[in-house]
Amino acid sequence: MKKALKFAGISLAIAFVAIQFFQIGKTNLTIVQANTLETSVSVPPDIALILGRSCNDCHTNNTVYPWYASVQPFGWFLKDHIDDGKRHLNFSEFNTYAAKKKVKKLEEICEQVESAEMPLPSYLWIHRDAVLSESDRKALCGWANEQKGKIDEPMTNTPLVN
Ligand code: HEC
């Protein structure tokens, strides 16, 4: 029994060392100013602050990787969330979205923060400063709704459907 435990322990330790050779890519894509959220809609400083604190790591090309991103399997887990987050919504590429998509994403920002689905709960375990206060949520929703109304819709005869 003791021998089996020892063997299992050594195997785990070897596996842990072996997976460290599979590091994640941490290079951020270049941000093109013309493509950003800030070029598309007005982002006042208080909103920029909330987004920077709570959202930008997973929703911009300006991800700051913590030291444990270099420790696997944590890095794989982080990378998965970051890539998935950007695929759904990337503030660094927001201005490349069609008007309809911009409106939809702004709507979703309010929905996701009101239902506390964003920021992703696992992010908040460690990034305690990213937790949104009630007033942060209100500010984000108010801003998203206001900006939504300012996006030029392409001329259309049919009302927009969600
Ligand atoms: C740790 C990474 C992470 C953080 C931080 C984060 N998100 Fe996300 N976000 C994701 C992932 C992953 C998805 C896609 C999967 C999902 O919807 O759960 C997503 C999806 C979304 C969507 C849905 C887009 C769609 O097309 O369905 C919105 C809107 C969103 N996030 C807004 C925010 C806002 C606003 C913040 C900050 C208050 C934030 N997120 C913080 C990872 C993150």
Side-chain angles (χ1 to χ4, degrees):
M1 183 59 197
K2 249 188 173 165
K3 230 178 174 177
L5 269 179
K6 201 171 165 189
F7 180 75
I10 290 172
S11 306
L12 266 177
I14 291 174
F16 180 76
V17 170
I19 63 174
Q20 303 315 313
F21 289 96
F22 299 88
Q23 293 289 324
I24 57 168
K26 287 184 225 143
T27 314
N28 279 313
L29 291 175
T30 312
I31 296 178
V32 179
Q33 208 52 45
N35 296 346
T36 62
L37 177 76
E38 292 77 4
T39 304
S40 175
V41 300
S42 138
V43 184
D46 61 322
I47 297 300
L49 211 66
I50 303 173
L51 295 178
R53 200 162 23 87
S54 304
C55 319
N56 286 2
D57 272 346
C58 302
H59 291 292
T60 69
N61 291 341
N62 202 11
T63 307
V64 178
Y65 289 89
W67 63 267
Y68 48 86
S70 304
V71 182
Q72 312 314 330
F74 302 107
W76 299 338
F77 177 76
L78 294 186
K79 183 75 178 161
D80 200 47
H81 281 163
I82 293 165
D83 289 350
D84 195 24
K86 284 183 205 180
R87 245 194 321 272
H88 282 82
L89 172 65
N90 189 339
F91 294 141
S92 302
E93 287 163 14
F94 191 85
N95 206 25
T96 64
Y97 299 167
K100 199 172 169 179
K101 184 168 169 181
K102 287 180 179 171
V103 169
K104 180 111 180 101
K105 296 294 167 186
L106 285 166
E107 256 166 28
E108 281 171 357
I109 288 174
C110 182
E111 280 167 21
Q112 297 278 331
V113 298
E114 275 193 334
S115 61
E117 279 171 82
M118 289 291 146
L120 225 52
S122 59
Y123 184 75
L124 301 177
W125 298 340
I126 291 170
H127 297 86
R128 297 306 299 163
D129 59 334
V131 176
L132 297 178
S133 68
E134 198 45 49
S135 77
D136 290 340
R137 282 201 189 91
K138 281 216 179 86
L140 277 180
C141 274
W143 165 77
N145 285 328
E146 188 189 317
Q147 295 307 318
K148 200 176 74 179
K150 290 188 185 163
I151 288 176
D152 291 326
E153 292 298 340
M155 292 293 279
T156 169
N157 297 322
T158 44
L160 278 180
V161 280
N162 284 319

